[in-house]
Amino acid sequence: MTAGPEPITAEWVEFAPYGDFESDCPARLGVDVFGNSWLPVVIYMLRAGPMRPSDLRAAIGGISQKMLTQTLRRMERMTLIERHRYAEAPPRVEYELTEAGRDLLVPIYALGDWVDKHGRAVGAGLAGPDADDD
C-alpha cells in the first residue's frame, strides 16, 4: 500500500490531498460547472428563493431566452435546481435551488471575493500590451 499525496499547504490555507486527476475524476465536474458562464449566475440569482424564467432573464440581463432555457434544463438534469409547474391558467413555472445548488453558493461567493481582490489587476493585465498573446 502506497501513501497518498501530501496535502498542499500555503501560508494561509491547507488543501487536503484529492487523488489522481484522471479522465473520470469527479473534480472535473466542478470545473465543468464553473466553465459554463451562465450556470453560476443563475445559481446566484436563485439564492433568495424561487423565480420564474421571465424574472430570471430580466434580473440577469444579456442572456438570451434560448441560452436561459438550455442552462435551466442542464441545471435540472444536474439536480442543482427543481422545476415547479403550477396548474394555473396561464401555466406558471418556477425554478428553485436544491441543496446541491445552495451548496454551490459557497464557492460562488469565494470566487466573488477573489474577483473583488484581484479582478482589476487581472483585467488590466489582460488588456495590457501583450493581450494579443492568447
Side-chain angles (χ1 to χ4, degrees), residues 1-133:
M1 187 172 189
T2 61
E6 293 295 318
I8 297 172
T9 305
E11 64 186 60
W12 63 91
V13 68
E14 181 175 306
F15 297 101
Y18 188 79
D20 296 330
F21 290 96
E22 299 171 357
S23 63
D24 61 346
C25 175
R28 289 179 181 258
L29 176 62
V31 173
D32 184 46
V33 165
F34 281 91
N36 178 311
S37 61
W38 291 112
L39 193 149
V41 175
V42 173
I43 293 282
Y44 182 79
M45 295 310 299
L46 290 171
R47 73 193 181 282
M51 290 181 76
R52 298 177 75 168
S54 59
D55 295 332
L56 270 171
R57 187 164 178 230
I60 292 171
I63 188 170
S64 69
Q65 183 62 50
K66 179 182 177 183
M67 183 54 66
L68 178 60
T69 300
Q70 289 175 348
T71 302
L72 290 170
R73 287 180 181 160
R74 182 165 189 251
M75 292 171 69
E76 191 175 6
R77 284 192 311 271
M78 295 173 81
T79 70
L80 299 175
I81 60 172
E82 291 179 338
R83 181 180 188 265
H84 301 284
R85 186 173 193 279
Y86 299 94
E88 300 174 351
R92 180 170 56 106
V93 174
E94 289 183 337
Y95 291 91
E96 179 177 27
L97 293 176
T98 62
E99 180 181 358
R102 287 188 301 274
D103 285 349
L104 265 178
L105 287 167
V106 174
I108 289 169
Y109 280 117
L111 185 59
D113 289 344
W114 181 88
V115 170
D116 282 345
K117 186 174 181 180
H118 302 287
R120 283 198 172 98
V122 171
L126 289 173
D130 297 330
D132 294 334
D133 290 345

